């Protein structure tokens, strides 16, 4: 009887362990499948959001540029520029839109100058946005004023020194000209 009981217990123990292993394996497989489903669902949502964002950007560029064809050209320029400079396309698009909204042409070299300056300063997207904003505000006002010069200085750009060098004048002369409203779009 003892040998039979031991044999029965051993057999039962093996069955219980087999059931436990099967349960654990099935549970793990179910969790992996669930994660896979969640990843696929998240991927689909990301693709839909990306498509929605692309449509909105396309419409925005068409509106800013005066038509679908010009908007598509601007979109292509943004993609190429982002690829060339290693910048995120969203950052390039945001800065492009900001400059264009202020009346500047981002494709005339002003955008590239801002990217180069941001890179030189070791700045990030917020630095680029700040520089674009200050430049756009000056352009909209059609003159260089202290408020925007301060915005540039806060981001590491000394506009008066750059203008003095470009115009062959002293910084004091440039500051005096700015105070008198004598520095306009040509100087910007």
């Amino acid at each position: 009887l003892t040998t039979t009981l031991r044999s029965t217990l051993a057999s039962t123990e093996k069955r219980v362990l087999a059931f436990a292993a099967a349960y654990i394996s099935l549970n793990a497989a179910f969790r992996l499948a669930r994660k896979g489903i969640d990843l696929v669902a998240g991927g689909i949502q990301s693709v839909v959001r990306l498509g929605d964002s692309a449509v909105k950007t396309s419409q925005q560029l068409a509106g800013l540029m005066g038509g679908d064809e010009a908007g598509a050209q601007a979109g292509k320029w943004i993609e190429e520029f982002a690829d060339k400079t290693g910048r995120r396309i969203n950052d390039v698009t945001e800065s492009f839109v900001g400059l264009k909204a202020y009346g500047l042409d981002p494709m005339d070299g002003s955008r590239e100058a801002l990217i180069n300056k941001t890179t030189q300063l070791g700045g990030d997207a917020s630095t680029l946005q700040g520089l674009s904003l200050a430049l756009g505000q000056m352009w909209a006002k059609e003159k260089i004023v202290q408020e925007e010069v301060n915005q540039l200085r806060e981001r590491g750009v000394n506009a008066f020194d750059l203008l003095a060098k470009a115009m062959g004048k002293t910084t004091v002369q440039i500051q005096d000209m700015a105070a008198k409203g004598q520095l306009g779009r040509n100087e910007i």
Side-chain angles (χ1 to χ4, degrees):
L1 190 67
T2 307
T3 307
T4 305
L5 185 57
R6 279 187 190 166
S7 175
T8 303
L9 286 175
S11 175
T12 303
E13 181 182 0
K14 286 180 185 176
R15 283 186 183 158
V16 168
L17 288 175
F19 283 132
Y23 173 77
I24 291 170
S25 295
L26 285 173
N27 194 20
F30 176 74
R31 276 192 254 137
L32 283 174
R34 179 68 182 188
K35 283 184 182 179
I37 290 169
D38 289 345
L39 285 173
V40 169
I44 290 170
Q45 288 173 346
S46 293
V47 168
V48 169
R49 278 193 302 269
L50 182 61
D52 189 39
S53 175
V55 168
K56 286 179 183 175
T57 299
S58 176
Q59 291 170 342
Q60 183 179 34
L61 290 174
L64 281 170
M65 301 302 292
D68 290 339
E69 187 176 323
Q73 288 174 346
K76 184 177 180 190
W77 184 90
I78 288 169
E79 288 175 17
E80 290 172 358
F81 190 85
D83 187 48
K84 180 175 88 172
T85 60
R87 295 281 175 173
R88 289 183 18 193
I89 196 161
N90 290 346
D91 296 338
V92 174
T93 302
E94 191 174 329
S95 177
F96 182 99
V97 167
L99 290 173
K100 188 67 180 166
Y102 276 113
L104 289 160
D105 181 4
M107 297 185 286
D108 70 357
S110 58
R111 177 77 180 84
E112 189 163 5
L114 286 168
I115 288 278
N116 292 342
K117 193 57 158 174
T118 300
T119 301
Q120 179 187 23
L121 296 170
D124 57 10
S126 68
T127 303
L128 176 61
Q129 289 309 110
L131 294 175
S132 297
L133 176 65
L135 183 64
Q137 288 172 338
M138 278 190 238
W139 189 259
K141 291 177 183 177
E142 298 185 15
K143 61 182 176 180
I144 297 173
V145 295
Q146 190 64 45
E147 184 179 353
E148 283 78 26
V149 170
N150 290 343
Q151 290 178 40
L152 292 171
R153 186 177 295 124
E154 289 167 2
R155 288 164 180 84
V157 177
N158 192 327
F160 287 145
D161 286 351
L162 292 172
L163 282 167
K165 184 177 179 183
M167 295 174 67
K169 298 187 179 292
T170 68
T171 302
V172 173
Q173 288 173 315
I174 295 296
Q175 288 171 332
D176 186 50
M177 290 173 73
K180 292 177 181 175
Q182 296 172 338
L183 299 175
R185 284 191 170 173
N186 286 336
E187 291 75 20
I188 294 170

